Amino acid sequence: METSMWLRFSLYLACLLMSCGASAAEILTAVCGPLQGYVLGVGGASDVYKPIEQRDGMSGQTTIVWEIGSSEAQIIAQGQVGGSPMLEKAVVTLSTKDQVSFVVIYPVSVFLYSLFPQRNALLLSRHTHQRGFDFDAARMLALHGPCTIRIK
């Protein structure tokens, strides 16, 4: 998806969520990316359990749509520009004026998204024991990037 189409889709989803909720609800929409950072950890048997430290990133956008005060949010992630977006339900684990954190749990990994509204920034980390067919690794992805945040 091109960037403008992705932004329109994100805004459409935010409008749809706003129309389904209570009229007084405020919706936070954060469009973030690109994200840059590192993969850190220890490789599995195929990597001879060597330490890992390599640059990584996501060129696509990550969009967070959250009804402020609710316990869940929607996260739309597009890892690479032109890639297929994934829609996930996230659990809100921390909510202050300075930071909102969301967790998404998969069968072999956990993602933590921390949004910093006053800094217009997102930190994203993924923890997993899997790499390809290796199930005995210990890997972390740590990324950060800018966001455009709107509250309506």
Side-chain angles (χ1 to χ4, degrees):
M1 258 187 221
E2 68 180 62
T3 302
S4 64
M5 191 159 91
W6 179 252
L7 184 57
R8 281 188 297 226
F9 173 74
S10 300
L11 292 174
Y12 170 76
L13 181 60
C15 290
L16 180 65
L17 289 174
M18 285 191 305
S19 67
C20 296
S23 60
E26 288 188 302
I27 304 293
L28 178 145
T29 302
V31 179
C32 307
L35 304 177
Q36 299 296 319
Y38 289 90
V39 173
L40 305 167
V42 178
S46 68
D47 291 326
V48 196
Y49 305 105
K50 291 182 185 174
I52 300 168
E53 183 176 333
Q54 61 193 37
R55 291 199 55 75
D56 204 346
M58 295 171 55
S59 61
Q61 292 182 326
T62 299
T63 301
I64 299 170
V65 180
W66 176 53
E67 181 180 322
I68 295 173
S70 70
S71 62
E72 293 182 346
Q74 297 295 319
I75 297 181
I76 306 149
Q78 181 188 27
Q80 304 303 322
V81 171
S84 298
M86 292 177 31
L87 176 63
E88 297 293 341
K89 186 187 323 181
V91 176
V92 178
T93 57
L94 175 68
S95 173
T96 71
K97 69 179 181 66
D98 298 312
Q99 177 181 346
V100 184
S101 292
F102 312 89
V103 171
V104 178
I105 300 172
Y106 295 98
V108 297
S109 63
V110 175
F111 280 67
L112 173 65
Y113 298 82
S114 289
L115 184 63
F116 298 85
Q118 295 181 9
R119 300 284 178 253
N120 291 314
L122 176 69
L123 298 180
L124 164 61
S125 66
R126 177 189 70 205
H127 297 226
T128 186
H129 65 276
Q130 182 181 7
R131 177 179 176 252
F133 293 105
D134 255 346
F135 286 95
D136 59 347
R139 299 169 55 90
M140 176 182 86
L141 174 69
L143 303 176
H144 63 91
C147 298
T148 300
I149 299 172
R150 292 192 171 94
I151 298 174
K152 292 187 177 186

